[in-house]
Amino acid sequence: MLTLKLTGLTDDLSLETIRSYLLESGPFGAVVYIAVFALSNLLSVPGVIFIVAAMLVYGKLMGTLLAMTGALCSVVLSFAVIRKIGGTPVGELKAKWARKMLRYLDEYPVRTIWLLRTFLLLNPHLNYILALSPVRFRSYFIGSLLGLILPIGFYAAGLEFFFGEYLR
């Protein structure tokens, strides 16, 4: 983010600029949004920015659906890249909470990922730990899908309260 600011790439970046670019681009704008969202998670850019941006640009309903799609693509891409690069599953973890989490992950993978994703949303560290664990992709996908619904729904519900002046 600092590099983008120092190079001047963000000088003309505003909600209106982003909104006009994405909306004028039609379906291609949505594809660009999802691609940038997915790649940004690998760079540890907070996903909340993209969730709120989708709702502000596309409106509450379409923005929420697009945010959900982008968030899911983001965690799937992180899982695939980290699993490919990382290779072998995590060994013994030092943190007691992480060991406990992985124990539940073995016993109840979908439920564990659902709960973790609900509270930690798009946290890159969670993506890395899960990608390097022995969890199957199917369990990761279903748990992530279920776990993203509630927090993204909360952002949609609070959108007008926090960002009412920016809505179209």
Side-chain angles (χ1 to χ4, degrees), residues 67-134:
M68 187 69 187
T69 303
L72 195 55
C73 289
S74 177
V75 297
V76 165
L77 180 65
S78 290
F79 184 88
V81 169
I82 300 304
R83 176 128 322 162
K84 183 73 172 169
I85 292 171
T88 59
V90 176
E92 186 66 26
L93 295 170
K94 291 180 184 178
K96 191 175 186 175
W97 69 268
R99 286 195 313 270
K100 191 172 187 177
M101 177 193 75
L102 287 180
R103 186 181 83 230
Y104 289 118
L105 186 62
D106 290 339
E107 295 173 27
Y108 311 103
V110 173
R111 185 184 321 166
T112 303
I113 294 168
W114 168 58
L115 286 170
L116 289 168
R117 193 62 74 198
T118 297
F119 293 104
L120 298 175
L121 194 59
L122 301 169
N123 186 309
H125 302 294
L126 175 61
N127 296 340
Y128 303 155
I129 289 172
L130 292 173
L132 295 174
S133 76

Side-chain angles (χ1 to χ4, degrees), residues 21-37:
Y21 173 77
L22 290 175
L23 293 177
E24 289 172 8
S25 298
F28 180 72
V31 171
V32 168
Y33 162 82
I34 290 171
V36 171
F37 189 166

